[in-house]
Amino acid sequence: MNWLRASVLFSMLGFSLFFCSCREKDPAANLADSYRKDNPFDTQMPKISAAYKEAKRQKVEAFFNKTWGNRMNGSFLVAKNGQIIYENYQGYSSIEKKLDITATTPIHIASMTKVLTAALVLRLIDAGKLDLGQDVSTILTPFPYPDITIQDLLDHRSGLPNYAYFCDEKGVWDHSKTLTNQDVLNLMNEHHFPQQFPSGRRFAYCNTNYAMLALVIEKITGMTYPEAMKKMLFEPLKMSNTFVFDMKDKDNVSQTYKGNMRLRFDHLDGTYGDKNVYSTPRDLLKFDMATYSPNFLSAGLVEKVYKGYSYEHKGTRNYGLGIRMYEWPTGQKMYYHNGWWHGNTSSYIKLKKDTVTIIAISNKYSKSTYQAWKLAPAFGDYPVKVDKADGEE
């Protein structure tokens, strides 16, 4: 892995200023400004006018007040061109310790993690270390399912069995032990659980796909998934409040709740890639802004990312490479990814055409998080039905 060590060292030396974590003097300062200097992923997006910002802020605030009011326990942010229009942080990261949620409080983003895992896999593909059409069995050996490609994992067309389900089968896994990604692969090799369907046949959302992608990252980089994500994604993007969860830190991270009842960690909390990233809306905005840069992914690969691959059934929803999407008959598209794990719910909305980012994260179970996409018509011509009280006229 000399190529990787050299690459990481070069990046650390060449972009040392970019890697520095700087604290904003103004808590509501635009993140776009901090992106300008020594940033290889700067997109040079124009600044929004004060009039535009205020007009949109009023609509977003009205939507927030109707959807959450003072009931939210989590984080919410809306930005245009990387410039924050509105953000709100409420509730506790730990009810027991009375720890407030602030702009720098990392919360479990659940399956929104898949967007980040996919991003690193795609950057490895761009670097020539992987190929979309590469058979997984050439990387993870042994791997008991033939003819499954990296793309099949990314777009959920592998047909792999869901590890959360087969670990509940009698005699498969002792729930007093924490399951790891390698354990998932070992169990599939040992038991040869049947595929749901032959790979490429149809779409079936499955966490096992991204648990395997995390192992692919480890195999290709020679680092653990948490190390690779930190050194190759989080640090370069200045995502200073983002990390991959480790069970040894379970008492020190943001906790999760249903009502005021704290939900406990269990045997499935050790697997990553499909989940287990903790982050903040501001850090996720930094990531979102980087995806517009021609230096982040090549143009040809970007085109593949935001393309639907599942058209077996008619409908407006589809899945690209690590991203969900709405594709309306009128031609509009909206990209997003939701998440749910224990009491954590999350939603990441990317209005790509309008360079708008909407992020909602909650650590107290709430379906309201998933309403964030209804803000889309406030920023463009999206056929989403909303009430006037949602901030639309």
Side-chain angles (χ1 to χ4, degrees):
M1 296 302 167
N2 291 335
W3 67 268
L4 180 66
R5 296 189 185 96
S7 173
V8 172
L9 180 60
F10 174 79
S11 298
M12 291 177 69
L13 292 173
F15 302 118
S16 58
L17 289 174
F18 174 56
F19 283 170
C20 290
S21 174
C22 31
R23 188 175 303 222
E24 293 131 354
K25 295 179 181 178
D26 178 3
N30 290 327
L31 295 180
D33 293 339
S34 67
Y35 254 58
R36 299 293 184 194
K37 189 176 182 181
D38 300 309
N39 182 0
F41 304 124
D42 181 24
T43 52
Q44 294 292 324
M45 290 186 181
K47 288 192 174 183
I48 59 177
S49 69
Y52 175 94
K53 181 177 180 179
E54 179 57 23
K56 297 302 183 183
R57 185 199 64 78
Q58 290 180 19
K59 290 187 175 185
V60 174
E61 186 173 42
F63 174 86
F64 180 89
N65 289 337
K66 177 182 181 296
T67 306
W68 289 288
N70 60 2
R71 303 180 306 278
M72 188 182 200
N73 204 89
S75 310
F76 179 73
L77 179 149
V78 178
K80 163 74 174 176
N81 292 359
Q83 298 155 58
I84 298 172
I85 291 172
Y86 180 86
E87 59 184 341
N88 201 309
Y89 305 91
Q90 295 183 8
Y92 295 112
S93 62
S94 171
I95 292 177
E96 296 78 15
K97 298 178 182 178
K98 302 299 181 186
L99 298 177
D100 291 331
I101 291 175
T102 70
T104 59
T105 303
I107 297 175
H108 196 303
I109 64 173
S111 283
M112 200 192 296
T113 296
K114 293 181 175 69
V115 179
L116 303 176
T117 300
L120 184 47
V121 170
L122 292 163
R123 283 181 58 76
L124 290 172
I125 290 171
D126 248 355
K129 306 305 174 186
L130 274 175
D131 187 84
L132 274 176
Q134 188 170 351
D135 197 301
V136 177
S137 65
T138 66
I139 305 165
L140 305 180
T141 54
F143 184 76
Y145 304 98
D147 304 321
I148 291 179
T149 67
I150 295 298
Q151 179 163 334
D152 290 330
L153 299 181
L154 285 167
D155 61 20
H156 291 290
R157 297 180 65 83
S158 70
L160 284 177
N162 191 317
Y163 72 82
Y165 299 156
F166 65 64
C167 282
D168 276 344
E169 294 181 14
K170 186 176 180 180
V172 171
W173 187 255
D174 180 354
H175 286 199
S176 67
K177 299 179 180 179
T178 301
L179 187 77
T180 68
N181 291 57
Q182 187 61 48
D183 289 329
V184 174
L185 179 57
N186 292 345
L187 288 172
M188 291 193 298
N189 279 310
E190 178 184 350
H191 295 277
H192 295 276
F193 305 107
Q195 281 180 266
Q196 300 178 66
F197 49 84
S199 60
R201 183 71 58 85
R202 62 182 176 85
F203 171 85
Y205 186 87
C206 179
N207 285 338
T208 309
N209 292 321
Y210 278 73
M212 292 301 99
L213 284 172
L215 289 181
V216 168
I217 288 172
E218 293 184 336
K219 189 73 171 181
I220 296 299
T221 65
M223 293 185 280
T224 66
Y225 172 83
E227 290 172 337
M229 292 295 282
K230 179 181 179 181
K231 293 180 180 178
M232 302 180 73
L233 197 67
F234 303 155
E235 285 184 349
L237 297 182
K238 296 185 182 179
M239 298 171 71
S240 55
N241 293 302
T242 302
F243 59 89
V244 179
F245 171 72
D246 190 307
M247 278 289 279
K248 71 177 186 296
D249 298 321
K250 63 186 178 69
D251 294 326
N252 300 318
V253 297
S254 175
Q255 300 301 307
T256 179
Y257 301 89
K258 188 171 185 179
N260 288 325
M261 180 181 71
R262 177 175 165 180
L263 301 179
R264 302 298 176 184
F265 294 93
D266 61 31
H267 64 291
L268 297 178
D269 281 303
T271 50
Y272 43 56
D274 56 328
K275 61 181 187 312
N276 263 353
V277 164
Y278 281 65
S279 190
T280 68
R282 289 188 181 184
D283 273 7
L284 292 167
L285 176 59
K286 293 174 183 177
F287 164 79
D288 184 66
M289 290 301 295
T291 63
Y292 289 97
S293 168
N295 297 325
F296 190 72
L297 290 177
S298 63
L301 196 51
V302 168
E303 185 178 349
K304 293 177 180 179
V305 170
Y306 298 105
K307 172 185 176 182
Y309 292 95
S310 298
Y311 292 98
E312 301 84 33
H313 305 288
K314 292 183 178 180
T316 57
R317 298 186 184 187
N318 214 306
Y319 205 97
L321 302 182
I323 194 74
R324 289 185 181 271
M325 63 189 72
Y326 276 94
E327 297 179 304
W328 287 286
T330 48
Q332 298 96 327
K333 293 184 179 181
M334 184 188 78
Y335 305 97
Y336 73 103
H337 212 296
N338 292 336
W340 167 58
W341 184 246
H342 297 324
N344 304 288
T345 55
S346 59
S347 189
Y348 162 60
I349 313 298
K350 182 185 187 70
L351 306 181
K352 195 171 187 292
K353 179 174 66 71
D354 299 291
T355 56
V356 169
T357 314
I358 304 168
I359 298 166
I361 313 171
S362 176
N363 67 329
K364 182 185 287 189
Y365 181 75
S366 171
K367 291 183 179 180
S368 295
T369 312
Y370 306 136
Q371 299 301 306
W373 73 292
K374 291 185 177 179
L375 262 173
F379 296 95
D381 183 20
Y382 300 92
V384 178
K385 293 181 180 180
V386 296
D387 299 330
K388 289 184 178 180
D390 286 339
E392 282 297 295
E393 298 179 356

